[in-house]
């Protein structure tokens, strides 16, 4: 036989022998590996790790806790457009092949061997095998295990079951696992609501969740999306008209500045702690759903009102300078990279947005935001940072090219420079009829400061504590008509046992004799001190415990009259609820129901009703105090409340502590008690002109304007044991001529202890009340 014939035959024989040997080696390797494969039978009942989810009373998601943010979605509930987008880019022949794309496997082997660019060999089934059971390392051993697992999966499950696991299991960035969670994370909407354009953008994430993240890399995400839309068209999933419309669609990416989001991070964290105490580490994996008392609309109103109040205060502060300075290159691609990296380190904070200055003069700042928008700040928008634009500004204050600044958009759609506040705040609203928490904002921003000022901040309440002293005084014969001297007082060391004390009114003025009603409305300190002298500090201390205050936090000294003790905003909310509900003590609560992932109720909670077992003060005491607190919002330091909201059923008290370190407003409408506090974490002066009425009351009013929008006016009924005489309310036994008619009119202001009027014993009070029932 001629050598020209022999050589091809020999070569062919060797090739066949080599291939047979290779196949034999692979077969042996697979035979050895097969017994070591993990048991995949559990996938027939797919139960991935599911996070703890916290919902508002209406069912709005307000928090998720767990390593994996996932919404388990059955294949029948995944929209076809989402499945089509994934198949177009990941595995167009998914429903035709047996689990392995053999050409792709060879291509992947060559890529691993020859370092050439991979074209993507893994089918969806192979990705499921890898994502659920294997590491992502690129070795031949792992590839063999992957192929064997793929065969097992295809044998155990049908195609829809495999696709369902893939669509729920895959990591898509931003802590989102599965496309349902990704839709919420990136678009703020359910998977059932997405468009072709949005589906294509989500389908681009599995390849590289970080690189194609539409929040951090919008340009790359858009490029990937356009490619996937073309693949969907090529595979017949959409027609040319749909493809063009999808390419033109402007996608709204969810951001921290989204005003429609329910920012309830402090509240959700409080719930998480409660659930963890009950369920331990399984809290984060068993898919618990927790339904709470929080009202989404009230929470949004509270969050926006508190932030606006704090930012309004911030406008009056000295500009502290840019957050950072970076060197900006002239090359455009390099410039884009520097800006992207810088603004990732300084993310937007709600509506307080970050930007990098491109150019700055005394009359204009040109800056660029993370989304590439170039903005101009001129005119009034420059005023908050005028000192930073001065030629004489220190280098750490000077606004110049490369400065990282904060900006906000004004109601007129112009831009204004600002800064992240150093001051903090808190807001809480509860239903005084049962104690359920309806809104809770524990600070300006949870990411910036996780300390929950509603429940953890012990602060002096200032004048907002006075109503509890006045409530005690009513039981000692003092009436709203009692005339009290707003005159100077001086307590020497012999009286105080320490340093001499000469208290002042906030405005430094004394107005002479006035009624108790007027004294509370005008928040006169001298009136409160004289009232406490009559009640007795120890009596008042014990009386305050009826409202939920800790006796040891309120030492029995005359300074208690000025709110020198310590309270939390949550304590104030429950305490003022006693006035709002007719005298009953309520405890705040947040969780109404807990279910498992399938909706089975595991626990349900309901507040106990208001009955005599939880009575804190007599109904008539609460009624008269309501009348006094209503005067505060009508003609007193909080008169803007009724004037702005145009309704009479508003009650409350402003509070400003010594040296204006804390600003409070505590108030209620019969269906809602709400507290606002603003101050620095490390107490320092807010400013000589900053008061509870100027700082915290506007926050309360803005919130109530929304929360009470559809709530009818409701004023408390007149209880037994009170009488109206001359337009004023009195306890029956203390009607005109029977109670304390005046206080301090003849004293010298020496501060000598006044006679303490004893409170009638409980049995004596009952006899007196019984006399007036008939």
């Amino acid at each position: 036989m001629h050598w020209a014939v022999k050589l091809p035959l020999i070569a062919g024989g060797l090739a066949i022998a080599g291939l047979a040997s290779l196949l034999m080696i692979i077969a042996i390797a697979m035979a050895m590996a097969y017994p070591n494969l993990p048991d995949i039978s559990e996938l027939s009942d797919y139960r991935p790790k599911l996070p703890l989810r916290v919902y508002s009373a209406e069912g709005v998601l307000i928090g998720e806790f767990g390593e994996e943010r996932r919404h388990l979605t059955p294949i029948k509930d995944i929209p076809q457009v989402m499945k089509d987008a994934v198949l177009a880019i990941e595995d167009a022949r998914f429903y035709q092949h047996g689990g392995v794309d053999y050409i792709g496997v060879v291509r992947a082997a060559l890529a691993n061997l020859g370092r050439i660019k991979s074209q993507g060999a893994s089918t969806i089934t192979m990705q499921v095998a890898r994502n659920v059971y294997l590491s992502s390392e690129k070795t031949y051993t792992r590839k063999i295990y992957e192929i064997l697992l793929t065969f097992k999966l295809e044998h155990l499950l049908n195609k829809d079951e495999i696709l369902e696991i893939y669509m729920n299991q895959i990591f898509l960035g931003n802590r989102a696992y599965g496309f349902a969670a990704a839709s919420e994370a990136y678009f703020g909407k359910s998977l059932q609501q997405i468009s072709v354009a949005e589906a294509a953008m989500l389908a681009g994430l599995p390849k590289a969740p970080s690189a194609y993240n539409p929040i951090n890399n919008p340009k790359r995400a858009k490029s990937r999306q356009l490619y996937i839309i073309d693949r969907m068209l090529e595979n017949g999933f959409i027609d040319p008209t749909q493809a063009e419309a999808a390419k033109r669609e402007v996608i709204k990416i969810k951001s921290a500045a989204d005003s429609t989001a329910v920012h309830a991070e402090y509240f959700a964290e409080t719930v998480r702690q409660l659930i963890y105490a009950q369920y331990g580490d399984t809290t984060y994996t068993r898919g618990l759903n927790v339904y709470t008392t929080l009202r989404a609309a009230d929470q949004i109103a509270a969050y926006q009102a508190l932030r606006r109040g704090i930012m309004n205060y911030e406008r009056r502060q000295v500009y502290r300078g840019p957050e950072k300075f970076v060197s900006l290159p002239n090359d455009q691609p390099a410039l884009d990279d520097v800006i992207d990296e810088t603004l990732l380190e300084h993310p937007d904070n709600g509506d307080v947005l970050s930007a990098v200055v491109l150019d700055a003069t005394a009359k204009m700042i040109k800056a660029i935001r993370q989304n590439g928008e170039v903005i101009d700040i001129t005119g009034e928008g420059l005023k908050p940072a005028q000192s930073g634009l001065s030629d004489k500004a220190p280098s750490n204050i000077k606004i110049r090219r490369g400065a990282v600044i904060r900006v906000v958009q004004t109601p007129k759609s112009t831009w204004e420079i600002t800064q992240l506040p150093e001051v903090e705040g808190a807001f809480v609203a509860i239903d005084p009829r049962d104690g359920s928490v309806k809104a809770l904002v524990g600070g300006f921003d949870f990411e910036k400061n996780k300390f929950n000022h509603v429940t953890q901040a012990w602060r002096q309440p200032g004048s907002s504590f006075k109503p509890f002293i006045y409530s005690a005084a009513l039981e000692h014969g003092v009436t709203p008509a009692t005339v009290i001297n707003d005159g100077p007082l001086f307590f020497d060391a012999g009286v105080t046992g320490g340093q001499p004390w000469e208290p002042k009114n906030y405005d430094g003025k004394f107005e002479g004799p006035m009624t108790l009603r007027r004294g509370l409305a005008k928040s006169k300190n001298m009136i409160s001190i004289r009232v406490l002298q009559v009640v007795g500090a120890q009596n008042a201390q014990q009386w305050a415990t009826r409202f939920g205050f800790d006796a040891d936090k309120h030492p029995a000294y005359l300074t208690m009259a000025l709110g020198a003790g310590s309270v939390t905003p949550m304590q104030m909310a429950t305490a003022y609820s006693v006035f709002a509900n007719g005298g009953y003590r309520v405890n705040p609560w947040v969780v109404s129901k807990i279910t498992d992932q399938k909706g089975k109720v595991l626990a349900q909670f309901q507040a106990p009703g208001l009955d005599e077992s939880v009575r804190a003060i007599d109904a008539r005491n609460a009624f008269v105090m309501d009348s006094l607190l209503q005067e505060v919002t009508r003609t007193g330091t909080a008169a803007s409340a009724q004037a702005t909201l145009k309704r009479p059923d508003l009650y409350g008290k402003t509070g400003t502590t010594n040296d204006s370190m804390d600003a409070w407003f505590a108030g209620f409408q019969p269906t809602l008690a709400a507290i606002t506090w603003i101050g620095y974490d490390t107490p320092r002066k807010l400013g000589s002109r900053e008061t509870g009425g100027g700082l915290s009351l506007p926050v309360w009013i803005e919130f109530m304007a929304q929360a009470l929008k559809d709530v009818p006016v409701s004023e408390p009924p007149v209880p037994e044991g009170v009488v109206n005489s001359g337009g004023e309310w009195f306890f029956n036994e203390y009607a005109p001529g029977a109670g304390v008619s005046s206080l301090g009119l003849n004293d010298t202001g020496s501060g000598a202890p006044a006679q303490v009027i004893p409170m009638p014993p409980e049995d004596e009070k009952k006899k007196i009340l019984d006399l007036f029932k008939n």
Side-chain angles (χ1 to χ4, degrees), residues 449-684:
N449 185 352
K450 292 179 172 57
F451 184 78
N452 188 339
H453 297 84
V454 167
T455 58
Q456 296 176 288
W458 290 92
R459 308 292 297 216
Q460 287 190 346
S463 295
S464 63
F465 193 77
K466 289 177 180 176
F468 308 106
I469 306 298
Y470 282 52
S471 172
L474 295 180
E475 302 293 334
H476 287 71
V478 178
T479 75
T482 298
V483 176
I484 308 172
N485 185 20
D486 177 32
L489 283 167
F490 177 79
F491 300 88
D492 60 28
V495 174
T496 65
Q499 296 295 318
W501 182 43
E502 187 175 9
K504 303 287 186 184
N505 286 319
Y506 173 77
D507 58 7
K509 300 175 182 178
F510 302 101
E511 298 185 30
M514 63 178 65
T515 64
L516 181 85
R517 176 178 292 276
R518 196 71 195 136
L520 183 62
K522 301 192 75 172
S523 198
K524 290 292 187 177
N525 290 340
M526 303 304 108
I527 304 291
S528 297
I529 292 171
R530 284 188 163 95
V531 167
L532 182 57
Q533 282 184 305
V534 169
V535 173
Q538 289 186 339
N539 289 335
Q541 181 191 50
Q542 289 306 309
W543 187 259
T545 62
R546 292 171 175 246
F547 296 85
F549 295 115
D550 303 320
D552 61 344
K553 297 283 187 182
H554 301 272
Y557 303 120
L558 289 179
T559 51
M560 189 194 309
L562 310 185
S566 296
V567 300
T568 67
M570 183 64 87
Q571 275 192 332
M572 292 293 278
T574 56
Y576 269 77
S577 291
V578 175
F579 294 137
N581 64 28
Y584 298 98
R585 173 87 174 271
V586 294
N587 291 313
W589 58 290
V590 296
V591 175
S592 59
K593 184 173 66 174
I594 303 172
T595 72
D596 63 16
Q597 67 184 69
K598 295 182 179 179
K600 179 183 177 183
V601 176
L602 302 178
Q604 202 150 7
F605 307 92
Q606 193 171 357
L610 300 180
D611 57 37
E612 293 308 305
S613 68
V614 292
R615 179 166 289 285
I617 60 175
D618 287 343
R620 63 178 188 163
N621 188 300
F623 178 81
V624 175
M625 283 307 306
D626 288 355
S627 174
L628 293 174
L629 293 171
Q630 189 177 38
E631 190 70 35
V632 176
T633 66
R634 188 174 70 86
T635 65
T637 55
S640 59
Q642 289 195 36
T644 303
L645 298 176
K646 310 297 184 187
R647 57 189 299 158
D649 58 339
L650 303 174
Y651 313 79
K653 183 69 187 74
T654 54
T656 309
T657 60
N658 194 33
D659 290 330
S660 298
M661 291 188 181
D662 299 89
W664 293 83
F665 185 75
F668 59 90
Q669 189 270 349
T671 65
L672 199 61
I675 310 296
T676 307
W677 166 84
I678 292 176
Y680 289 99
D681 276 340
T682 301
R684 70 176 197 250

Side-chain angles (χ1 to χ4, degrees), residues 31-160:
M32 293 177 64
Y34 198 86
N36 297 320
L37 292 177
D39 180 14
I40 63 171
S41 59
E42 63 185 33
L43 283 183
S44 60
D45 184 21
Y46 177 57
R47 294 184 182 181
K49 291 180 181 179
L50 296 175
L52 166 70
R53 291 193 183 89
V54 182
Y55 295 92
S56 71
E58 307 89 342
V60 177
L61 182 67
I62 58 174
E64 277 188 297
F65 300 93
E67 294 178 8
E68 302 176 2
R69 181 187 295 165
R70 178 184 283 110
H71 295 264
L72 185 58
T73 309
I75 192 69
K76 64 182 177 60
D77 295 332
I78 298 174
Q80 191 61 44
V81 67
M82 189 69 253
K83 290 185 278 190
D84 290 344
V86 168
L87 293 175
I89 190 62
E90 294 294 333
D91 193 354
R93 294 183 58 254
F94 173 71
Y95 282 97
Q96 283 76 48
H97 64 62
V100 176
D101 180 350
Y102 295 102
I103 295 175
V105 171
V106 174
R107 185 168 60 238
L110 291 173
N112 201 35
L113 184 64
R115 306 289 182 182
I116 65 173
K117 184 178 179 181
S118 172
Q119 300 300 307
S122 295
T123 64
I124 282 176
T125 313
M126 294 170 75
Q127 290 185 58
V128 169
R130 179 170 65 246
N131 291 332
V132 176
Y133 292 108
L134 302 173
S135 68
S136 58
E137 63 175 341
K138 294 184 178 181
T139 64
Y140 290 114
T141 302
R142 191 216 51 134
K143 199 67 180 177
I144 290 171
Y145 276 105
E146 184 178 304
I147 292 171
L148 290 174
L149 277 173
T150 297
F151 289 144
K152 287 190 74 171
L153 284 172
E154 290 277 347
H155 177 72
L156 177 70
L157 307 173
N158 62 44
K159 288 290 188 178
D160 280 349

Side-chain angles (χ1 to χ4, degrees), residues 147-269:
I147 292 171
L148 290 174
L149 277 173
T150 297
F151 289 144
K152 287 190 74 171
L153 284 172
E154 290 277 347
H155 177 72
L156 177 70
L157 307 173
N158 62 44
K159 288 290 188 178
D160 280 349
E161 290 172 329
I162 294 170
L163 186 59
E164 178 181 303
I165 294 171
Y166 176 82
M167 300 288 278
N168 282 284
Q169 183 73 21
I170 192 77
F171 175 62
L172 299 171
N174 207 21
R175 287 184 51 238
Y177 287 78
F179 288 92
S183 181
E184 290 281 356
Y186 294 112
F187 307 137
K189 61 171 66 174
S190 71
L191 192 61
Q192 286 70 27
Q193 297 174 303
I194 63 169
S195 64
V196 172
E198 290 166 335
M201 185 160 282
L202 292 180
L205 290 167
K207 182 178 180 181
S210 178
Y212 298 115
N213 184 318
I215 295 175
N216 298 334
N217 294 297
K219 292 179 182 177
R220 289 180 182 176
K222 182 64 178 178
S223 175
R224 178 76 171 163
Q225 177 217 33
L226 294 176
Y227 173 65
I228 292 173
I229 291 172
D230 287 338
R231 289 296 302 270
M232 293 177 74
L233 178 61
E234 291 171 14
N235 285 279
F237 293 130
I238 56 175
D239 59 38
T241 303
Q242 290 175 301
E244 284 305 312
K247 289 180 179 180
R248 289 194 305 270
E249 182 179 328
V250 178
I251 295 179
K252 184 181 179 182
I253 303 299
K254 181 180 177 181
S255 69
D258 187 355
S259 61
T260 62
V262 182
H263 287 278
E265 293 87 352
Y266 291 97
F267 181 85
E269 170 59 18

Side-chain angles (χ1 to χ4, degrees), residues 272-285:
R272 181 201 68 79
Q273 293 175 19
L274 291 172
I275 301 303
Y276 183 81
Q278 178 72 25
Y279 293 98
D281 291 338
T282 62
T283 296
Y284 310 120
T285 58

Side-chain angles (χ1 to χ4, degrees), residues 409-420:
Q409 198 160 23
T410 69
K412 297 179 180 178
S413 296
T414 59
W415 291 96
E416 179 179 280
I417 189 169
T418 186
Q419 56 192 346
L420 285 174

